[in-house]
Amino acid sequence: MDRLRIVGGKPLIGEVEISGAKNAALPILFASILSSEKSVIRNIPLLADINTTLKVLDSLGLKTLFKLENHTIEIDGSTLNSHEAPYELVRTMRASVLVLGPLLARRKIARVSLPGGCAIGARPVNFHLEALEKMGAVFNIEAGYIDGAAPNGLKGSKIEFPFPSVGATENILMASVLAEGNTRIENAACEPEIVDLAIALRSMGAKISGEGTPIIEVEGVKALHGMNHSVAPDRIEAATYLCAGLITKGKVTVTGINENFMKSPLSLLKESGALISSTANSITAEYVKPLLPLRITTEPFPGFPTDMQAQFMALLTQANGESVISETIFENRFMHVPELTRLGAKIDIKGNEATVKGPVSLSGAIVMATDLRASASLIIAGLIAKGETIIRRIYHLDRGYEHIEQKLIKLGAEIYREHEK
Ligand code: UD1
């Protein structure tokens, strides 16, 4: 198992190229199931979750080719010959449940291991199943598997989600493009990754309108051709590097992304006193004066993303005063707090609210990564902690950040990946 060793105290200065978004790439790769033709998907980030997705597609019989050096994946949809996403793969990546919509749409049958809980909460899939049932699917849940069938094919329907779930919106969008008739999704998630999925599906001939708003309308078509798409940039990765730069009192420019993807986190960084400037293709955050505390509430897009909560919390340990962070999306997403506390952070949790007292002087320690974004917050804190911070269990990090230590080294960080027995 690998670990990261960070020697804190080096200011981060420079430019970093943002990779394709993991959370856009995963549903888009699964959307290739919808066509019997060849799909070409570019700007794929090099991440463990992408490899898991390819294993799921391979297990369904699809032929996949990952051209690592050009970040491109080719998928041959003609060889689809299975409808099962097995436990060993779903266990390592919950997003595998996104095969459900495409498989039911194309093969009228799907068998997917029930994802179960994860470190950040229970994360049920009831919205996905209820909506697919409305479209004509029937499910049987037994022995840890969801067995789904749509013997008469999926029918376009009016779906109203109780909450704008990202995954459920994606699953239903993928199911509806090949359903018979029209589908209207109400209270749809509006995240940029949903918009990217809709663009990818449209490149296959799907008829979709309203993506990026709470109402998405789809006119089902009989068949889709292969996809040709370049994945949108990763707004969570970008925000992570901006926070990393600011905590070190540095100046970091993220390239390949524009501010429309991240208005809420950028306005909060401005409110805290950072100097933010942007071009059509880059965003710069510069430390110019001591940071002010913030009040943050995680919300569905366009609100502040839960996936940036941990990184902002690390940054706010250095703000002048008390910040309050409310987590409203996942019930157990403060797992990074005890680890940040080991580095010297002063954080109190009451229910879903964390109060962060700053500024505190952090000092290096051995800490444990508990989930993807928690790992990123530990790196951010480690960058200014006195002495050495060792972060263990970084396999979480490799699921979602491409070459993170190399990108940080380029910005001036002292960070080493080490093999731990
Ligand atoms: C996606 C992202 C994840 C992000 C999250 C919220 C991917 C691969 N993952 O996860 O990084 O943190 O959006 O922005 O894109 N819920 C239900 N029933 C359901 C579905 C969801 O109760 O059937 C609840 C969840 O438990 C959670 C909330 O709805 O409390 C939001 O979850 P959702 O938007 O579905 O998150 P994911 O799609 O799993």
Side-chain angles (χ1 to χ4, degrees):
M1 211 183 288
D2 286 356
R3 66 184 201 176
L4 288 178
R5 181 163 61 85
I6 305 174
V7 182
K10 311 279 185 304
L12 300 195
I13 293 168
E15 266 188 28
V16 58
E17 172 80 25
I18 295 308
S19 301
K22 168 180 90 71
N23 286 356
L26 303 184
I28 286 168
L29 288 169
F30 287 126
S32 69
I33 296 171
L34 291 162
S35 172
S36 60
E37 297 180 8
K38 182 175 154 188
S39 287
V40 179
I41 306 153
R42 287 163 279 117
N43 202 29
I44 296 279
L46 308 184
L47 303 171
D49 273 8
I50 297 291
N51 296 333
T52 308
T53 304
L54 292 185
K55 281 188 196 153
V56 175
L57 295 177
D58 289 342
S59 78
L60 295 172
L62 299 178
K63 291 215 170 63
T64 60
L65 176 65
F66 197 170
K67 295 181 173 163
L68 291 174
E69 65 289 356
N70 8 337
H71 290 69
T72 296
I73 293 181
E74 295 176 4
I75 301 170
D76 177 358
S78 68
T79 52
L80 181 70
N81 61 17
S82 162
H83 59 268
E84 178 171 336
Y87 172 73
E88 307 81 65
L89 297 176
V90 182
R91 183 176 63 88
T92 54
M93 193 187 72
R94 297 188 84 261
S96 316
V97 79
L98 294 175
V99 299
L100 212 47
L103 280 176
L104 284 171
R106 183 161 162 211
R107 277 185 70 104
K108 301 190 172 100
I109 184 163
R111 181 174 157 80
V112 180
S113 170
L114 203 57
C118 71
I120 63 175
R123 298 181 86 175
V125 289
N126 53 325
F127 303 160
H128 305 234
L129 302 187
E130 282 156 19
L132 289 165
E133 274 170 354
K134 229 180 150 196
M135 297 177 77
V138 284
F139 293 102
N140 181 31
I141 297 180
E142 216 176 276
Y145 272 83
I146 305 169
D147 274 301
N152 303 316
L154 294 175
K155 308 271 183 275
S157 310
K158 186 178 147 218
I159 306 294
E160 191 181 350
F161 286 124
F163 182 86
S165 153
V166 174
T169 303
E170 291 165 346
N171 237 338
I172 300 314
L173 190 54
M174 290 191 278
S176 61
V177 288
L178 283 182
E180 188 190 324
N182 297 342
T183 297
R184 180 181 163 92
I185 309 175
E186 295 185 3
N187 205 16
C190 302
E191 268 69 2
E193 292 74 26
I194 306 276
V195 175
D196 205 33
L197 173 62
I199 295 170
L201 289 167
R202 227 182 267 125
S203 83
M204 305 170 85
K207 294 195 174 149
I208 303 168
S209 61
E211 73 276 10
T213 77
I215 296 181
I216 303 179
E217 304 211 64
V218 183
E219 189 185 326
V221 296
K222 288 226 155 19
L224 292 170
H225 49 78
M227 179 194 302
N228 188 343
H229 184 74
S230 179
V231 174
D234 197 317
R235 61 197 167 104
I236 312 295
E237 187 196 21
T240 301
Y241 287 110
L242 295 182
C243 288
L246 287 172
I247 203 168
T248 65
K249 301 189 174 165
K251 180 180 178 183
V252 166
T253 298
V254 289
T255 62
I257 188 159
N258 72 57
E259 61 181 10
N260 291 332
F261 284 88
M262 34 201 300
K263 286 198 167 134
S264 159
L266 290 180
S267 78
L268 282 165
L269 289 180
K270 277 183 201 159
E271 195 184 319
S272 78
L275 185 63
I276 305 289
S277 54
S278 54
T279 70
N281 195 36
S282 72
I283 306 165
T284 302
E286 181 178 3
Y287 178 92
V288 283
K289 57 181 180 199
L291 298 175
L292 297 169
L294 294 173
R295 195 173 174 111
I296 301 179
T297 302
T298 63
E299 283 168 339
F301 192 84
F304 184 85
T306 174
D307 285 354
M308 291 180 195
Q309 182 254 104
Q311 301 89 315
F312 268 64
M313 189 182 289
L315 178 64
L316 290 172
T317 62
Q318 302 310 304
N320 266 302
E322 225 172 72
S323 297
V324 179
I325 301 179
S326 304
E327 171 59 58
T328 71
I329 308 291
F330 291 111
E331 69 269 26
N332 193 18
R333 211 169 194 182
F334 286 141
M335 306 260 294
H336 43 286
V337 170
E339 301 300 312
L340 287 173
T341 306
R342 285 177 55 73
L343 297 174
K346 292 207 174 95
I347 304 169
D348 290 325
I349 302 178
K350 277 208 185 77
N352 72 340
E353 210 169 80
T355 304
V356 185
K357 293 195 184 90
V360 292
S361 152
L362 301 179
S363 46
I366 299 180
V367 288
M368 196 107 88
T370 49
D371 72 55
L372 173 54
R373 307 304 167 186
S375 324
S377 81
L378 297 176
I379 292 192
I380 291 171
L383 288 170
I384 51 144
K386 281 197 198 83
E388 282 193 352
T389 298
I390 308 256
I391 306 177
R392 303 181 65 191
R393 291 206 189 158
I394 56 159
Y395 53 84
H396 292 291
L397 213 52
D398 294 332
R399 291 185 44 212
Y401 288 92
E402 176 175 329
H403 298 152
I404 189 162
E405 73 277 17
Q406 291 168 27
K407 290 189 181 187
L408 286 169
I409 287 168
K410 201 176 151 238
L411 291 172
E414 190 174 346
I415 178 166
Y416 307 90
R417 180 180 286 257
E418 297 174 344
H419 193 64
E420 194 174 38
K421 284 197 187 104

